[in-house]
Amino acid sequence: MPPDTATPHEPSRRRLPPAERMPQILEAALEEFAARGFAGARMAEVARRAGIAKGLIYHYFPSKTALFEAVVRDGTRSDFEAAERQLSQHSGSYRALLAALLDLGYQAVCEDARDRVLFRLIIAEAEHVPELAGFYRDEMLARSVGIAQRLLEAGVAAGEFRPEVAAPGYAEVVLAPVVMLSVWRIILGNADAPEAAAMRAAHRDLLLAALLPPAG
Amino acid sequence: MPPDTATPHEPSRRRLPPAERMPQILEAALEEFAARGFAGARMAEVARRAGIAKGLIYHYFPSKTALFEAVVRDGTRSDFEAAERQLSQHSGSYRALLAALLDLGYQAVCEDARDRVLFRLIIAEAEHVPELAGFYRDEMLARSVGIAQRLLEAGVAAGEFRPEVAAPGYAEVVLAPVVMLSVWRIILGNADAPEAAAMRAAHRDLLLAALLPPAG
Amino acid sequence: MPPDTATPHEPSRRRLPPAERMPQILEAALEEFAARGFAGARMAEVARRAGIAKGLIYHYFPSKTALFEAVVRDGTRSDFEAAERQLSQHSGSYRALLAALLDLGYQAVCEDARDRVLFRLIIAEAEHVPELAGFYRDEMLARSVGIAQRLLEAGVAAGEFRPEVAAPGYAEVVLAPVVMLSVWRIILGNADAPEAAAMRAAHRDLLLAALLPPAG
Amino acid sequence: MPPDTATPHEPSRRRLPPAERMPQILEAALEEFAARGFAGARMAEVARRAGIAKGLIYHYFPSKTALFEAVVRDGTRSDFEAAERQLSQHSGSYRALLAALLDLGYQAVCEDARDRVLFRLIIAEAEHVPELAGFYRDEMLARSVGIAQRLLEAGVAAGEFRPEVAAPGYAEVVLAPVVMLSVWRIILGNADAPEAAAMRAAHRDLLLAALLPPAG
DNA sequence: AATGAATGAGCATTCATTCAT
DNA sequence: AATGAATGAATGCTCATTCAT
């Protein structure tokens, strides 16, 4: 591993109130945990990234594990709010809404989002930190499946989609390709992962063909 | 983390030919890497699991990294062969083949496969061990996308599927839900992940509806 | 080799400024390297001699090799300065200066100098630590040859010595016996090595006879 | 340290009588000890150089230490014999004999002699292996000083040299430059050490001038 | 005699954590 | 609050030595 060149904070040697210091540390810790995983992360490196001394971390967090859990808890800032807002404020065809939400999803995946960083952490450490799995289940999977589910149900109710597609399992299948692209980008990097644009177009085409009633 | 109580090998102090010892070590290492990740894995624990002395590992592998790479390389024993065989030996409708391959995929995901262990390792460590990303890209993603692509092309050629679906991006979207279920099971465990049966049924229904020409 | 009972520092558990701790460590390391050579030296033993924990060494030096190089660099405090001063401040016959410098050299060899410890280290490890050879060449050999060379040239210029003796090779031959006595003492100890007093007298007699013009 | 490319023996897998195997091992061990010092030498490397398996060394030598001592004992093959022969068979002027012996000495130093290898070992390890110091004192220093001493005494007896030069200390000073050149070559390599030819010429010139009676 | 698989003690090095300043 | 010197328990790795084959 290269001697990480991540930009450290300006060397603020000034005394800061906890409300300002904690986010600095959490941000630095997120970067470090994401870059090295839990076991590979070094407290000294977290301190360097935050621009503070090693010892100061222990004023705010009693241990590496506690810091890690705080990082995860802090990661709750959701990108789902935009989608949920679109869903509830919607007026127009559900075909159009489906397309709009798909665009939103692929766009989120393509942005250099901190979310992917958290996502990788979750995949890597979920087995050892049960809280991570719970967090993903409740804050990420449930919400995205919920959005897809409500979209499908509303479309069925409006007569735009086939009635079967509101059954269990459909929502997961509908959103899986977006999430999977995110995983592929985690594994392969943005360059080597499948093309986002091609997948988005294919995804939209397939969904529209699959959801609409045969009669059109 | 508790001092793992995984069953160690019988305390064979016997001299074994390398051809028998190496798989023992690779097996033990896979378990340990899967349980702890690369950084968290301990060579002493690998030795304990294999029922040998620490030093012997270094008789076979020059370093922890080399051992890790050998574990991954060794994991190449592919589940794709069955799918590739079905694809090339197929006679009958491509709708039926699609359904059969989907069943094969969901079944593979549901088996307690060592493959998922390997998959988690790849996701977690790909950034630090470049070989892993290449391995996934060439041996796993390319093969599964290739199978899906050939299925789509053949179905189009046979007039069973819409011509558009052979375009880039479709194959990835078609197989993404199966792979994504695998990831969800990695994160959440088999119990908390979405229902495989429901997803499989929804997936099949959606694909058949999406791929067939409008005229039916 | 017995588990060395060299006096460890007082068990100072106090926090010290680096400017005080580093010399402690360097001193302890010199002792240990001198006693065991580079490969044989143990970092734990260096720590014990310095009265600190093993880990602290790595706070100051990134590796055993770096510590070794620092020890050597630190040993530069030269005994050549006295000789160089005499040479430049000299007024009087060069025969007398020659005798004075010889006395200085034999005296330096006979003192229980840390320099000999360093010298043995250099001889023993030069092949493996290239910096050592360069250090000896530039800081020890070049300086002592330089002193002898300037003495010979000045004596020739003053008409006291034969003109030939300023040619290449003479300076090395002139000082070799002093250096060699140092090596013999390294190998054999002070007791078994040739007599310093006898060598000094013989050396002075031979040089004076050899350098002076035949006419006397 | 580079992955040593020293030529290993042909892989003689044949069973050999001890009388043939031992020299192979001793030769290989001398190379390895000389290259790495006692602590740094590896038995596996000795075996590789000898073209045999590690375990076989222990058929002939009970331990690394025992092997080392055997290497030293075996190194007694003297280069002094030629000088001693010249000295005893001599007829002619002692000035000429002095020059001839000097030539012999400088020539021995310049040859890529195994002796220097042993010499370095002696310097490096003498403190820890008392036998080494004794060996050097008796087999090398005493013999070379003895040769010089007898030469001086014979020259004095023949009236060629000043009577004083048979006193203690002169023999050591007379031969020191040759030995010192050997040490310099050990430390600095043949390329960086002082010029052998220049030293030899200066050495001869100085000695002849110093030893002859004033009257010539 | 010969091999090289196997052991285990030992060593360099790392790093979470503590605590004097 | 803040620092970074100091600790010590791991942990990766080496290597002399043993011994089954």
Side-chain angles (χ1 to χ4, degrees):
Chain A
M1 305 176 197
D4 222 292
T5 55
T7 48
H9 266 241
E10 72 281 14
S12 72
R13 196 165 295 235
R14 297 186 309 109
R15 179 188 186 115
L16 288 185
E20 295 184 39
R21 208 47 112 186
M22 298 237 340
Q24 271 183 13
I25 298 175
L26 287 171
E27 175 69 23
L30 174 60
E31 289 171 18
E32 173 69 2
F33 283 128
R36 303 257 207 285
F38 177 79
R42 283 167 296 177
M43 297 296 270
E45 182 62 18
V46 173
R48 196 191 61 79
R49 287 179 195 259
I52 60 173
K54 246 183 328 179
L56 190 51
I57 300 178
Y58 288 88
H59 261 278
Y60 295 93
F61 305 96
S63 71
K64 188 185 186 184
T65 301
L67 175 61
F68 184 73
E69 289 168 357
V71 164
V72 171
R73 241 188 304 279
D74 183 63
T76 321
R77 289 171 279 173
S78 185
D79 293 274
F80 295 110
E81 283 161 19
E84 285 161 344
R85 208 172 326 113
Q86 279 210 23
L87 185 60
S88 58
Q89 295 173 353
H90 172 72
S91 65
S93 82
Y94 285 99
R95 275 158 293 185
L97 179 56
L98 173 69
L101 288 177
L102 272 184
D103 284 352
L104 205 63
Y106 279 95
Q107 184 189 323
V109 166
C110 290
E111 281 167 5
D112 200 359
R114 310 161 23 99
D115 297 333
R116 248 191 342 226
V117 159
L118 197 59
F119 196 15
R120 183 211 248 99
L121 258 186
I122 288 170
I123 297 174
E125 310 289 346
E127 189 159 274
H128 307 119
V129 186
E131 188 178 20
L132 276 180
F135 171 75
Y136 178 74
R137 189 187 56 228
D138 299 336
E139 295 295 328
M140 302 186 76
L141 181 57
R143 281 177 89 171
S144 51
V145 168
I147 291 169
Q149 184 68 34
R150 271 172 282 156
L151 170 63
L152 293 175
E153 288 171 358
V156 168
E160 287 189 44
F161 300 157
R162 292 188 286 136
E164 301 91 318
V165 302
Y170 282 81
E172 287 87 347
V173 173
V174 162
L175 67 86
V178 194
V179 189
M180 196 60 227
L181 176 57
S182 176
V183 176
W184 280 328
R185 286 185 155 223
I186 287 175
I187 301 175
L188 300 173
N190 295 344
D192 271 6
E195 267 294 321
M199 279 189 65
R200 193 191 52 185
H203 198 180
R204 172 167 20 190
D205 177 52
L206 286 171
L207 281 186
L208 289 179
L211 299 177
L212 301 189
Chain B
M1 304 174 197
D4 221 292
T5 53
T7 48
H9 265 242
E10 75 280 15
S12 74
R13 194 165 294 235
R14 294 192 310 111
R15 181 195 186 103
L16 287 185
E20 291 183 42
R21 198 54 101 189
M22 294 233 350
Q24 270 183 15
I25 297 176
L26 287 171
E27 177 69 24
L30 175 61
E31 289 170 18
E32 173 69 1
F33 283 129
R36 301 256 205 291
F38 178 78
R42 283 169 293 175
M43 296 297 269
E45 181 62 18
V46 173
R48 198 189 60 78
R49 286 179 195 259
I52 59 173
K54 230 180 349 175
L56 189 54
I57 302 178
Y58 290 89
H59 203 72
Y60 293 94
F61 305 96
S63 69
K64 190 184 184 183
T65 300
L67 175 61
F68 185 73
E69 290 172 357
V71 164
V72 172
R73 236 189 307 276
D74 184 63
T76 321
R77 289 169 283 175
S78 188
D79 294 277
F80 296 111
E81 283 162 19
E84 284 162 344
R85 207 170 330 109
Q86 279 211 21
L87 184 60
S88 59
Q89 295 173 353
H90 172 72
S91 65
S93 83
Y94 285 100
R95 276 159 293 185
L97 178 56
L98 173 69
L101 289 176
L102 273 184
D103 284 352
L104 206 62
Y106 279 94
Q107 183 191 322
V109 167
C110 291
E111 281 166 4
D112 195 3
R114 316 157 28 100
D115 296 336
R116 260 214 319 280
V117 160
L118 203 57
F119 195 18
R120 187 189 40 247
L121 268 181
I122 288 172
I123 297 173
E125 310 292 347
E127 192 162 64
H128 306 119
V129 187
E131 187 184 31
L132 280 181
F135 173 77
Y136 178 74
R137 189 188 55 227
D138 300 334
E139 296 295 327
M140 303 185 75
L141 180 58
R143 280 178 91 172
S144 50
V145 168
I147 291 169
Q149 184 68 32
R150 271 171 284 156
L151 168 63
L152 292 175
E153 288 171 358
V156 167
E160 288 188 43
F161 299 156
R162 292 188 288 136
E164 300 92 318
V165 302
Y170 282 81
E172 287 87 347
V173 172
V174 161
L175 66 86
V178 194
V179 188
M180 196 60 227
L181 176 57
S182 174
V183 176
W184 279 328
R185 286 184 155 226
I186 288 173
I187 301 175
L188 300 171
N190 295 346
D192 272 5
E195 264 297 320
M199 279 189 65
R200 193 190 54 184
H203 198 181
R204 172 169 19 191
D205 176 51
L206 286 170
L207 281 186
L208 289 179
L211 299 176
L212 301 188
Chain C
M1 302 175 199
D4 221 291
T5 53
T7 48
H9 263 243
E10 74 282 14
S12 74
R13 195 166 294 236
R14 294 192 310 111
R15 181 195 186 102
L16 287 185
E20 292 184 41
R21 197 57 97 190
M22 294 232 349
Q24 271 184 15
I25 297 175
L26 287 171
E27 177 69 25
L30 175 61
E31 289 170 19
E32 173 70 2
F33 283 129
R36 303 256 206 287
F38 178 78
R42 283 168 294 174
M43 296 298 268
E45 182 61 18
V46 173
R48 197 189 61 77
R49 286 178 195 260
I52 59 173
K54 234 181 343 176
L56 189 54
I57 302 178
Y58 290 88
H59 203 72
Y60 294 92
F61 305 96
S63 69
K64 189 185 186 183
T65 300
L67 174 61
F68 185 72
E69 290 172 356
V71 164
V72 172
R73 235 190 306 279
D74 184 63
T76 320
R77 290 169 282 173
S78 187
D79 295 277
F80 296 111
E81 282 163 19
E84 284 162 345
R85 206 168 333 109
Q86 279 212 23
L87 185 60
S88 60
Q89 295 174 352
H90 172 72
S91 66
S93 82
Y94 286 100
R95 278 157 292 186
L97 179 56
L98 172 70
L101 289 176
L102 273 184
D103 284 351
L104 206 63
Y106 279 95
Q107 184 190 324
V109 166
C110 291
E111 282 167 5
D112 195 3
R114 314 156 31 96
D115 296 336
R116 262 214 317 279
V117 160
L118 203 57
F119 195 18
R120 191 197 27 252
L121 269 181
I122 288 171
I123 298 174
E125 311 291 346
E127 191 163 67
H128 307 119
V129 186
E131 187 185 31
L132 279 181
F135 173 78
Y136 178 74
R137 188 187 55 228
D138 300 335
E139 296 295 327
M140 303 184 76
L141 181 57
R143 281 178 90 172
S144 49
V145 168
I147 290 168
Q149 183 69 33
R150 271 172 284 157
L151 169 64
L152 293 175
E153 288 171 359
V156 168
E160 288 187 44
F161 300 156
R162 292 188 288 136
E164 301 93 316
V165 303
Y170 282 80
E172 287 87 347
V173 173
V174 161
L175 67 85
V178 193
V179 190
M180 196 60 226
L181 175 57
S182 175
V183 176
W184 280 327
R185 286 184 155 226
I186 288 174
I187 301 175
L188 301 171
N190 295 346
D192 272 6
E195 265 296 319
M199 278 189 66
R200 193 190 54 184
H203 197 180
R204 171 167 22 188
D205 176 52
L206 285 171
L207 281 185
L208 288 178
L211 299 176
L212 299 189
Chain D
M1 304 177 198
D4 223 292
T5 53
T7 48
H9 266 239
E10 72 281 14
S12 72
R13 196 165 294 237
R14 297 187 307 109
R15 180 187 184 118
L16 287 185
E20 295 185 38
R21 209 45 115 185
M22 297 239 339
Q24 271 183 15
I25 297 176
L26 286 172
E27 175 70 23
L30 174 61
E31 290 171 16
E32 173 69 3
F33 283 128
R36 303 256 206 286
F38 178 78
R42 283 168 296 178
M43 298 296 269
E45 182 61 17
V46 173
R48 196 190 62 77
R49 288 180 194 258
I52 60 173
K54 245 182 330 178
L56 189 51
I57 300 178
Y58 289 87
H59 260 278
Y60 294 93
F61 305 96
S63 71
K64 189 186 185 182
T65 300
L67 175 61
F68 185 73
E69 288 169 357
V71 164
V72 172
R73 241 188 303 278
D74 184 62
T76 322
R77 289 172 278 173
S78 186
D79 293 274
F80 297 109
E81 283 163 19
E84 285 161 345
R85 209 172 325 114
Q86 279 211 21
L87 185 60
S88 59
Q89 296 173 352
H90 172 71
S91 64
S93 83
Y94 286 100
R95 277 157 292 186
L97 178 57
L98 173 69
L101 289 176
L102 272 184
D103 285 352
L104 206 63
Y106 279 95
Q107 184 190 324
V109 167
C110 291
E111 282 166 5
D112 199 0
R114 312 162 19 100
D115 296 333
R116 245 188 348 222
V117 158
L118 196 59
F119 195 16
R120 184 212 248 96
L121 258 186
I122 287 170
I123 297 174
E125 310 290 346
E127 188 158 274
H128 306 119
V129 187
E131 188 177 20
L132 277 180
F135 171 75
Y136 178 74
R137 190 188 55 227
D138 300 336
E139 296 295 328
M140 304 185 75
L141 182 57
R143 281 177 89 172
S144 50
V145 168
I147 291 168
Q149 185 66 36
R150 271 172 282 156
L151 170 63
L152 293 175
E153 288 171 358
V156 168
E160 288 188 44
F161 300 157
R162 292 188 287 136
E164 301 92 317
V165 303
Y170 281 80
E172 287 86 349
V173 172
V174 162
L175 67 86
V178 194
V179 190
M180 196 61 228
L181 176 57
S182 176
V183 175
W184 280 328
R185 287 186 155 224
I186 288 174
I187 301 175
L188 301 171
N190 295 346
D192 272 6
E195 267 294 322
M199 279 189 65
R200 193 191 52 184
H203 198 180
R204 170 167 23 188
D205 176 50
L206 286 171
L207 281 186
L208 290 178
L211 299 176
L212 301 188

